[in-house]
Amino acid sequence: MFFIDTIELEGLGNRHYLAGGGRQAVAVDPPRDVDQVLAAAARRGVRISHVVETHLHNDYVTGGLELARVTGARYLVPAAARVSFARVPVADGDTVTVDDGLELRAVATPGHTPHHTAYVLLEQGQPVAAFTGGSLLIGTVGRPDLVEPRLTEDLARAQHASAHRLAAELPDETAVLPTHGFGSFCSSAQAEGDATTIGKEKAVNAALTEDVDSFVARLLADLDDVPAYYAHMGPANAAGPAPVDLTPPAVADAGEIASRLAAGEWVVDLRNRVAFAEGHVAGSFNFEAEGKIATYLAWMIPWGKPVTLLAESPGQLADAQRELVRVGIDRPASAATGTPQEWTPEGVAPASFPRSTFAGLAEHGTDGIVVLDVRRDSERAAGHLAGSVHIPIHQLHKRLHEVPAGTVWVHCAGGMRAGIAASLLDAAGRDVVAVDDGFDSAADAGLTVVTG
């Protein structure tokens, strides 16, 4: 009998896997903080004999090299991936034995990257699961535009061919276990559902139901923004990431926090957006620990700029620190836990700003104010408030000068990104109201929603 354990990283929208038998197991696309994988193996009582990468990842720093080092496992990486460390190069058709009666076969599936490789798990020679990485996802495929613009169309066509190869070679009941597609920007579309098989994908996945020209045209037309930090992930993974250090950062008092703000460093408050709006250190930014902190902070912060983290508890700080090392933000310059009153100099009151809803905006009226939409282009095209200004959240910190004068009512689709935006505007000295509401409520509130 075999097992497959899933290690889910909701913040990055990825899944990683540990699969094996009674004695040994293989880790697939492990995250950088490898202790979770080691714990999963310990619970199963197995040794990790192999670590495999489906591709050089663009959205997170891998833990594969470190996991192979600490376990002594063989580290399998697609042969065509250019890397600077020793590994076992894998080519199409290569097979390794994981445990008695359990094998892993490499299947070349270019598309997400030129060297992308899926791995089919075979029990007694029969396919039972396919680890598809960024190739065949749940209802979609991995995006083909993360490597080089000149290759995008060719890679999109390769995605179509790779999906068809998997569908042709594997039985319908084979489980499809992708790394991406659970909220990751590596997915070309939002994946629906939690589990799938080859047979299910044959019925619903556009890569398997549309001809190649139609599929490629639609895929390229629907591609969304790419997080800026992706540019740093591939090189980090090719060079071989260093081990992580998750020990607590140096403690910052109110004076040091003020000094770091004065030096132009980023001070990031991890508390929820409601608490932040009610009181915070003037000049700090709000990236909720419970939100997609790794994605949005890494997307927006100038790469390499020192960051100080403010948290309500040591646990919240540790969780955020773990999220951030996954995207290459390794060591906070400093940190503090507690309350805004403890983080501000004596005699200085915490800053604050109001929150509202779309109903509150309708009641107030839009005359004489700025309504700022910080959603992505694709979201805005599906419907937006008439007369609103549009600056996507990931561009706002560089385009604050474009926000017209006046009080700014800022919104997104649900409230999290509006909270980030409100903190940026507040830090810049603007009068701001955070609309903490779902965009579906806008029309119900009587506001005019237009499309296009």
Side-chain angles (χ1 to χ4, degrees):
M1 293 294 293
F2 69 93
F3 72 86
I4 300 175
D5 289 342
T6 301
I7 299 168
E8 188 157 4
L9 303 184
E10 286 189 30
L12 291 177
N14 287 327
R15 287 181 179 175
H16 314 271
Y17 304 93
L18 182 73
R23 297 181 299 107
Q24 298 188 147
V26 57
V28 181
D29 288 342
R32 194 175 181 199
D33 45 326
V34 300
D35 54 336
Q36 293 185 84
V37 187
L38 293 170
R43 286 192 296 271
R44 289 285 185 177
V46 295
R47 180 177 74 88
I48 297 176
S49 59
H50 297 80
V51 177
V52 302
E53 303 281 7
T54 57
H55 60 295
L56 290 184
H57 304 284
N58 293 291
D59 64 329
Y60 69 93
V61 181
T62 182
L65 184 63
E66 175 67 2
L67 184 60
R69 184 187 70 80
V70 299
T71 61
R74 300 179 70 201
Y75 189 27
L76 278 56
V77 179
R82 296 181 179 274
V83 298
S84 301
F85 50 82
R87 89 288 191 202
V88 178
V90 177
D92 184 50
D94 286 353
T95 301
V96 298
T97 298
V98 177
D99 203 3
D100 294 339
L102 204 61
E103 294 180 319
L104 203 66
R105 185 178 74 227
V107 180
T109 48
H112 187 48
T113 67
H115 60 263
H116 192 283
T117 300
Y119 297 89
V120 177
L121 187 67
L122 303 122
E123 184 185 37
Q124 304 299 337
Q126 297 302 308
V128 291
F131 301 103
T132 54
S135 182
L136 187 64
L137 310 185
I138 299 179
T140 184
V141 296
R143 60 192 300 168
D145 61 327
L146 302 179
V147 177
E148 159 61 49
R150 293 172 297 177
L151 299 179
T152 297
E153 183 171 347
D154 287 344
L155 288 176
R157 293 182 178 276
Q159 278 289 52
H160 189 271
S162 292
H164 278 264
R165 180 184 181 187
L166 291 171
E169 294 185 4
L170 298 176
D172 283 357
E173 62 271 19
T174 306
V176 174
L177 302 174
T179 300
H180 304 311
F182 308 95
S184 168
F185 280 87
C186 275
S187 177
S188 64
Q190 183 63 43
E192 300 291 340
D194 201 47
T196 193
T197 63
I198 289 292
K200 290 178 181 177
E201 292 307 305
K202 284 181 179 179
V204 301
N205 196 306
L208 298 172
T209 61
E210 296 180 358
D211 65 86
V212 63
D213 290 333
S214 299
F215 168 77
V216 169
R218 183 190 53 78
L219 177 64
L220 299 185
D222 290 346
L223 290 174
D224 215 328
D225 299 321
V226 178
Y229 76 90
Y230 277 26
H232 304 281
M233 299 297 96
N237 288 325
V244 299
D245 179 1
L246 292 175
T247 58
V251 177
D253 60 17
E256 182 173 353
I257 293 169
S259 295
R260 290 189 177 278
L261 282 168
E265 297 182 11
W266 278 36
V267 173
V268 171
D269 191 324
L270 302 169
R271 297 172 303 141
N272 71 68
R273 57 187 182 265
V274 176
F276 183 88
E278 291 176 349
H280 56 269
V281 176
S284 63
F285 302 142
N286 182 218
F287 290 81
E288 293 179 299
E290 292 78 12
K292 295 176 75 69
I293 179 178
T295 295
Y296 283 102
L297 179 56
W299 196 340
M300 296 170 66
I301 191 171
W303 199 250
K305 182 176 281 290
V307 60
T308 291
L309 301 179
L310 306 179
E312 62 186 7
S313 68
Q316 186 180 65
L317 174 61
D319 288 346
Q321 198 175 340
R322 181 181 288 271
E323 288 274 337
L324 293 176
V325 299
R326 294 169 179 163
V327 293
I329 301 178
D330 281 11
R331 292 294 296 167
S334 61
T337 58
T339 66
Q341 289 74 22
E342 299 172 83
W343 304 330
T344 51
E346 188 175 350
V348 178
S352 64
F353 54 77
R355 299 165 51 250
S356 190
T357 62
F358 284 109
L361 175 58
E363 182 178 348
H364 181 280
T366 57
D367 291 342
I369 66 167
V370 180
V371 178
L372 177 63
D373 180 351
V374 295
R375 296 173 302 156
R376 296 188 299 277
D377 291 344
S378 58
E379 295 174 283
R380 182 171 173 85
H384 60 272
L385 297 183
S388 60
V389 176
H390 180 227
I391 303 178
I393 183 62
H394 57 276
Q395 299 175 10
L396 183 60
H397 61 302
K398 296 180 179 179
R399 298 175 59 187
L400 285 169
H401 62 281
E402 298 179 27
V403 181
T407 299
V408 184
W409 287 59
V410 59
H411 79 86
C412 61
M416 181 194 74
R417 287 172 292 175
I420 297 173
S423 73
L424 297 177
L425 290 159
D426 177 73
R430 298 297 300 269
D431 291 329
V432 63
V433 179
V435 179
D436 195 352
D437 200 358
F439 188 72
D440 290 345
S441 301
D444 294 339
L447 295 166
T448 302
V449 176
V450 295
T451 58

